[in-house]
Every structure is written in structure tokens, then in C-alpha cells.
Amino acid sequence: MRWLKRIFSNSQRDAERRRYPRYPVSAQVEVDVAGGTVECVLDNVSAGGIRLMPGVSAAVGETVTVRHAASGLSLPGHVVGLDDGGTRVKFDSEDAGIVVSSWLRMAQEADGREGESGDR
């Protein structure tokens, strides 16, 4: 019984470790990693970082640069985790994360409104 309690208490701690709320998005980006460039999709974003799909070939701790061609944004970060075919990246600057988080939420909302008005 003790092992079961430990599993559930660890799950709660993992959820509580998140410093910023995450927002689902879908935006094409390019990721510079290990001397190459990979095209990915942002799966979610927070003020502290992003999750990329599919995952990039990078080790935890490796430095990457995420670029969004349409906006001209280029943000350095480092890989903090690999899971379920995705890669989690933490921004090197919390200020950059806040800007990107807000920008992507606004862009997603604008895309949703454009689709609705175009269908009418």
C-alpha cells in the first residue's frame, strides 16, 4: 500500500512543479539544434517554455534556438525533457517566454475568428 501512496503523491508533486500555466497552440517553427534545423509544431506554450512535436534529436540540457519565421521571433532555450514523441524546451529568458506566450494566444484567437467570419 505504501508504494501506491508514493506513486500518487509523486504525481501531485509533478503537477505542482509547473510554474506557469500551459496553453495549447499549433504553430509551425524551426528549431536549430546540433548544427541542423528541424521543422516542428508547437504543441503548447507557457511563459517559461514550449513543447515541440515531433521531438527533436537532442539530449536533455542541450541548447536549441526556436524560430518562428512569420513573426521573426528567435528564442534560445535548452531541452529539459523528452516525452511521448515531444521535446520540452525551457526559454533562457523568462521575459521572452511571457512575450511569446501572450503573442501565441492572441494569434490563435485571431485565427479562430478569421475562420468563423470566412465561413459565414
Side-chain angles (χ1 to χ4, degrees):
M1 187 70 148
R2 196 180 247 167
W3 62 272
L4 189 57
K5 287 180 183 179
R6 192 175 315 124
I7 289 172
F8 285 109
S9 67
N10 285 341
S11 295
Q12 280 184 326
R13 269 187 258 149
D14 288 344
E16 292 169 8
R17 281 189 327 179
R18 291 187 173 161
R19 190 169 174 191
Y20 304 105
R22 294 183 183 347
Y23 302 96
V25 295
S26 181
Q28 286 290 133
V29 294
E30 294 177 338
V31 180
D32 296 333
V33 58
T37 300
V38 179
E39 290 189 15
C40 293
V41 174
L42 292 182
D43 180 51
N44 69 48
V45 65
S46 75
I50 58 175
R51 183 168 186 265
L52 302 167
M53 295 291 288
V56 298
S57 233
V60 171
E62 191 166 349
T63 299
V64 298
T65 300
V66 179
R67 293 183 287 119
H68 185 259
S71 68
L73 288 174
S74 180
L75 301 166
H78 60 277
V79 175
V80 294
L82 309 167
D83 61 42
D84 299 328
T87 299
R88 294 185 318 273
V89 174
K90 181 180 179 191
F91 296 127
D92 289 343
S93 165
E94 286 186 21
D95 292 339
I98 292 167
V99 171
V100 170
S101 179
S102 298
W103 178 83
L104 285 173
R105 281 188 293 144
M106 288 187 294
Q108 186 177 28
E109 290 170 5
D111 287 343
R113 283 193 300 265
E114 287 174 12
E116 289 174 12
S117 63
D119 294 337
R120 291 181 188 171

